[in-house]
Amino acid sequence: MPATFDIKSANLSLVALQLKSDRLKDVVAELAGEFGPKGSAPDFFDQDAVVVDFGLQPHVHSRTELQALSRALTSCRLRPVAYRQAMPQQAAVAHELGWVLADEEPQKPRAAAPAPQTVEVVREVEVVREVVQEVVREVPGPATLVLDKPLRSGQRVYARGADLLVLAMVNPGAEVAADGHIHVYAPLRGKAMAGASGNAAARIFALSMEPELVAIAGVYRTSEHALAPDVQGKPAQVRLSQDGQDKLIFEPLKA
Amino acid sequence: MARIIVVTSGKGGVGKTTTSASFATGLAMRGHKTAVIDFDVGLRNLDLIMGCERRVVYDFINVIQGEANLNQALIKDKQVEQLYVLAASQTRDKDALTQEGVERVLTDLGNMGFEYIVCDSPAGIETGALMAMHFADDALVVTNPEVSSVRDSDRILGMLSSKTRRAMTGAEPIKEHLLITRYNPLRVNQGQMLSLQDIQDILRIPLIGVIPESEAVLQASNQGVPAVHMEGSDVAEAYKDVIDRFMGQEKPLRFTEPPKQSLLKRLFGGR
């Protein structure tokens, strides 16, 4: 046994960029528009590691093309580290860039898709195959993000590893997401996603519950079917049932 | 420094250009030197509404690209002293609008002694709309009493508070004014249109006026006369109220209740 270190198995959560088009130029442009420094959500990522999923596309991108993609990801505050589902020639090019081969996504015991409505391309995956079966999640700390200004259609906020407290209305078309709880001391009319990275104990509170969509740890409900009359437009909370059924429970807040 | 007012909405066809024309005209009628600029590059309309389309030689883009100077491009209104129009280009691409260029034109107008500059924004949330709002001090958010217009106005309000110069430099935020156009109190009462309360409940910014739905607007547009000139019409009166409120006067809202119908009209089913 070496005295100065141990080698242990570890696993890492990352986001995946699933390519839906083989035109990398378009991907680069759309990435910049969405998450780039001048995009609509420049702070969405925080130097997160990302795996590029080629989805077994037959098209082989050149080294320059992949480099351009890599630069685009970096400017979106993402760190490309791995690739998967690549054809063999593509794999060779990706290797040259120093990306490692990631395994296929293992079947997870529990749905923990973070914020499915936020971005289509984001998906969580473990790269290194597990030896230990337990999945260690970052526990959201006591941090809280407080917003005083109204969130209007098209705006979105994500409280990473924190609770989110909004003191003004969240309008239709706006999105709030948090790894912890979400409190809205005003009408909640947009989308709210609590426990975005899988915390099933997260809750959503609003002074007037009229959301387009609520989700907790990936379990969601849209406004297609009206909420119960004692909840709709009233002070209420949403939580996930803890009986393993993963049902969203809407309850009025009783003062 | 000139005060820069953007007339914006997100959604198209709600009355931005009509409002820009009447608002600018109204300011000039009160003796303020006013310029109104059409930012809708490629789809110019403002000159039609202002009735000066035959006098457009140089346009906004020409000035931005240095092909003409402001004195050549500004079209003096024939009815109101102190009112000048800067037309949009019909032939150029919207990418011809650059932030530096727009800033230079606005600064030059300020130096020429203009007190108010009204920027008529194009619909949408693309370059043209962003450029029109970027340097604004005030925003007139034009909204129709229907859901999609309210949603788009909400989106624009979000951009006003995040993507404009005042927002980016942390200066005092843009003053937002809600202007509801095409309001028909009768149809509101019948539940076909959103009410003032419904709209304000979502947007929650100060209301500067309500312009009633009226045939006078169409008539005015087709004649190339800003609606504020349609003497005796509800629309002209409502726009004048808007100017007064913009100038800081308190004015009660008008034209927000359905007109009382006479007994005869009710009996014989007049509209």
Side-chain angles (χ1 to χ4, degrees):
Chain A
M1 280 280 281
T4 53
F5 59 83
D6 285 328
I7 296 281
K8 288 201 166 169
S9 133
N11 69 353
L12 182 65
S13 261
L14 6 130
V15 292
L17 174 77
Q18 286 189 305
L19 297 176
K20 296 200 289 193
S21 155
D22 57 15
R23 290 176 53 88
L24 279 192
K25 251 190 196 149
D26 299 348
V27 177
V28 166
E30 223 173 329
L31 269 172
E34 195 85 1
F35 305 111
K38 288 185 175 160
S40 50
D43 302 326
F44 191 80
F45 296 109
D46 183 19
Q47 308 299 355
D48 302 292
V50 60
V51 50
V52 177
D53 189 332
F54 291 96
L56 296 177
Q57 284 171 7
H59 181 86
V60 176
H61 306 289
S62 71
R63 189 189 161 110
T64 3
E65 281 177 307
L66 282 197
Q67 270 170 339
L69 176 65
S70 173
R71 273 194 302 277
L73 288 170
T74 312
S75 76
C76 298
R77 318 208 320 162
L78 283 166
R79 295 280 172 88
V81 294
Y83 68 93
R84 66 179 183 196
Q85 300 219 70
M87 303 303 270
Q89 295 103 317
Q90 189 65 81
V93 185
H95 259 292
E96 281 179 46
L97 287 185
W99 297 356
V100 299
L101 172 63
D103 293 328
E104 295 308 301
E105 195 164 3
Q107 282 299 312
K108 288 220 219 145
R110 243 180 84 94
Q117 265 62 36
T118 325
V119 210
E120 289 174 15
V121 291
V122 178
R123 202 136 73 84
E124 255 196 350
V125 62
E126 271 106 71
V127 239
V128 182
R129 181 153 288 160
E130 264 301 284
V131 182
V132 186
Q133 284 306 313
E134 215 171 45
V135 177
V136 182
R137 290 205 176 277
E138 215 178 295
V139 182
T144 305
L145 181 65
V146 181
L147 296 178
D148 303 307
K149 286 212 287 186
L151 279 160
R152 299 188 179 276
S153 174
Q155 296 182 314
R156 59 184 172 197
V157 169
Y158 173 36
R160 179 186 298 276
D163 289 350
L164 178 63
L165 221 143
V166 190
L167 292 159
M169 65 205 171
V170 177
N171 270 353
E175 288 180 11
V176 287
D179 287 341
H181 307 295
I182 295 176
H183 307 247
V184 181
Y185 295 106
L188 168 58
R189 295 176 173 139
K191 296 179 181 172
M193 290 155 291
S197 46
N199 179 2
R203 299 188 183 193
I204 298 170
F205 308 87
L207 273 193
S208 180
M209 189 65 82
E210 343 168 11
E212 286 180 317
L213 177 144
V214 286
I216 292 176
V219 182
Y220 67 89
R221 169 162 175 178
T222 63
S223 53
E224 192 183 350
H225 301 289
L227 300 175
D230 61 339
V231 171
Q232 178 70 39
K234 303 261 166 46
Q237 68 159 323
V238 188
R239 60 185 176 89
L240 214 50
S241 69
Q242 297 298 323
D243 55 4
Q245 303 239 350
D246 279 358
K247 274 176 65 181
L248 287 175
I249 299 174
F250 291 74
E251 290 166 326
L253 291 179
K254 295 191 186 84
Chain B
M1 265 311 278
R3 192 160 156 195
I4 301 169
I5 302 125
V6 60
V7 179
T8 184
S9 71
K11 194 167 159 58
V14 296
K16 282 182 297 297
T17 302
T18 301
T19 298
S20 299
S22 284
F23 189 72
T25 305
L27 288 170
M29 281 160 81
R30 278 167 175 64
H32 301 288
K33 191 170 177 185
T34 305
V36 53
I37 307 179
D38 190 349
F39 274 77
D40 205 348
V41 176
L43 291 169
R44 57 175 239 229
N45 285 161
L46 180 68
D47 48 333
L48 291 171
I49 306 278
M50 297 292 297
C52 63
E53 74 277 11
R54 290 165 197 277
R55 293 192 287 143
V56 178
V57 181
Y58 294 109
D59 57 49
F60 189 26
I61 299 298
N62 290 136
V63 180
I64 285 183
Q65 302 197 328
E67 296 153 0
N69 64 36
L70 264 177
N71 284 317
Q72 291 172 301
L74 282 170
I75 304 165
K76 192 173 183 315
D77 189 74
K78 284 198 166 157
Q79 299 186 53
V80 187
E81 281 286 313
Q82 308 278 50
L83 179 59
Y84 294 83
V85 180
L86 194 49
S89 171
Q90 184 83 284
T91 49
R92 305 297 180 86
D93 190 70
K94 63 179 190 302
D95 296 329
L97 278 178
T98 60
Q99 194 162 307
E100 298 73 37
V102 173
E103 182 170 22
R104 202 179 60 240
V105 171
L106 294 176
T107 316
D108 289 351
L109 286 171
N111 293 338
M112 287 167 73
F114 279 94
E115 292 170 75
Y116 294 102
I117 302 171
V118 178
C119 301
D120 181 21
S121 171
I125 50 176
E126 312 276 319
T127 318
L130 286 173
M131 287 300 138
M133 70 169 70
H134 192 80
F135 299 99
D137 302 304
D138 291 75
L140 288 186
V141 179
V142 182
T143 306
N144 284 173
E146 47 118 5
V147 185
S148 59
S149 173
V150 172
R151 171 78 64 100
D152 291 359
S153 294
D154 194 45
R155 181 94 165 89
I156 284 291
L157 283 165
M159 299 177 84
L160 284 169
S161 63
S162 62
K163 304 223 158 158
T164 52
R165 180 168 66 175
R166 277 176 178 271
M168 286 169 172
T169 56
E172 198 182 314
I174 292 180
K175 251 179 135 174
E176 297 155 342
H177 311 273
L178 176 61
L179 180 67
I180 298 174
T181 54
R182 301 208 168 150
Y183 194 73
N184 184 335
L186 215 60
R187 294 180 62 189
V188 172
N189 286 358
Q190 291 165 357
Q192 299 170 3
M193 275 187 179
L194 294 181
S195 71
L196 288 181
Q197 287 73 28
D198 293 340
I199 300 171
Q200 280 184 288
D201 187 40
I202 296 273
L203 297 179
R204 299 198 182 185
I205 58 170
L207 181 67
I208 196 169
V210 178
I211 311 296
E213 189 175 47
S214 164
E215 282 160 22
V217 173
L218 187 64
Q219 234 177 65
S221 308
N222 287 338
Q223 292 170 14
V225 177
V228 72
H229 282 315
M230 302 298 275
E231 284 305 327
S233 69
D234 290 1
V235 174
E237 291 301 310
Y239 272 120
K240 284 176 185 164
D241 284 358
V242 169
I243 311 276
D244 285 338
R245 289 188 199 108
F246 186 76
M247 294 298 181
Q249 282 183 43
E250 294 278 335
K251 282 254 168 169
L253 278 180
R254 294 196 273 172
F255 318 114
T256 55
E257 295 300 328
K260 299 236 174 358
Q261 285 193 337
S262 69
L263 181 67
L264 278 178
K265 251 194 173 169
R266 260 181 287 167
L267 281 177
F268 296 108
R271 253 174 58 91

